[in-house]
Amino acid sequence: MIIKGIIFDYGFTLFFFENPSLERYTECFKKGLLKSIKLLKEKQVWSGRISDELFVKEFFKKRQRFWREGIKTKIEFPTSFIYQEVLESLEKDNLVNNIDHIDEDTYENLAEIYHSFEREEWKPFPKTKETLEELSKHKHIKLAVLSNHPHHKTIENSLKEYNLFEYFDAVVTSAEFGKRKPDPEIFLYTLKKMELSENYDCLVCGDEYVDVVGGDRAGMQTILCERIYKFPFEREINVPNLLRINDISEVLNYIT
Ligand SMILES: [Mg+2]
């Protein structure tokens, strides 16, 4: 089979987060959230009637609620949307002012600040760049990143920061598409953005259930990139013809 495209997952496939734990993620998000308050103060949204702690508590409560809903429905609720929801409910309780001062760009900026500390933690695996460089020599192979992430620019900026963005014909996130992996629609949308019509010409490479099950549902050959870290509540993967690799560079064994 001549491979015409590869769809890579981002987290723990192309990039890693050292010593990941719920506590470390939460710490990054809390730092980002507190930093974003500065922008709310600049926009004169902040009032003396709300504390940083209450804002953090309300935000995490909403984030958690929509995260659960997203798992159930496969709908992505972007971080900018969560900010909007939180501020609207705080305004109803008369705890913030003037939320109409916040336009779409500002919601985007808030989301970017929220994810900024998380982004610093994600680093490419040692062999990510050389693997992409090698793949780029095969002119007939198109490459894409497909990530379940609630803020599109965070993924793009991370790829740009490490000079990897140029290797990809498409970068798709659930924030941009509106639905999350394993929904097969997001895989088909990625194929379209890669300008590939035949799904059986394309490989999907990722570290999670959502990558390989979603890729399989969309009719593609899947490769599980096995992680050193195990996550809590991992689902058993039962996909026919699943290929398994331990390092991103091994993907080179499956192309011609
Ligand atoms: Mg992943």
Side-chain angles (χ1 to χ4, degrees), residues 8-17 25 122 125 145-148 155 181 206-208 211 225 227 231:
F8 288 104
D9 165 51
Y10 171 88
F12 298 101
T13 301
L14 296 173
F15 281 64
F16 70 99
F17 190 111
Y25 287 125
W122 287 104
F125 279 110
V145 174
L146 170 53
S147 173
N148 271 353
I155 299 299
K181 297 180 279 188
D207 67 302
E208 261 188 271
D211 302 301
C225 197
R227 243 182 285 115
F231 294 157

Side-chain angles (χ1 to χ4, degrees), residues 71-128:
I71 299 290
K72 246 192 306 179
T73 59
K74 312 283 179 291
I75 293 169
E76 182 65 87
F77 298 97
T79 306
S80 52
F81 167 83
I82 307 291
Y83 269 99
Q84 200 168 345
E85 284 285 307
V86 172
L87 290 172
E88 278 172 10
S89 94
L90 291 173
E91 191 184 44
K92 268 191 207 133
D93 294 336
N94 198 27
L95 293 170
V96 294
N97 311 314
N98 311 318
I99 68 164
D100 50 333
H101 287 187
I102 304 190
D103 56 16
E104 220 169 281
D105 285 351
T106 310
Y107 278 117
E108 264 299 299
N109 289 343
L110 288 165
E112 196 168 345
I113 298 168
Y114 176 81
H115 289 288
S116 59
F117 293 92
E118 175 209 0
R119 184 159 78 78
E120 283 174 15
E121 297 294 323
W122 287 104
K123 311 248 162 53
F125 279 110
K127 290 192 178 165
T128 294

Side-chain angles (χ1 to χ4, degrees), residues 235-253:
R235 294 175 69 176
E236 204 186 313
I237 296 170
N238 187 10
V239 168
N241 311 318
L242 180 66
L243 301 169
R244 289 172 190 263
I245 59 175
N246 292 304
D247 187 279
I248 185 69
S249 60
E250 292 170 52
V251 86
L252 297 168
N253 300 335

Side-chain angles (χ1 to χ4, degrees), residues 131-142:
T131 304
L132 294 170
E133 181 61 35
E134 192 54 40
L135 287 169
S136 72
K137 292 178 188 159
H138 298 256
K139 298 289 175 217
H140 63 286
I141 300 181
K142 291 188 175 177

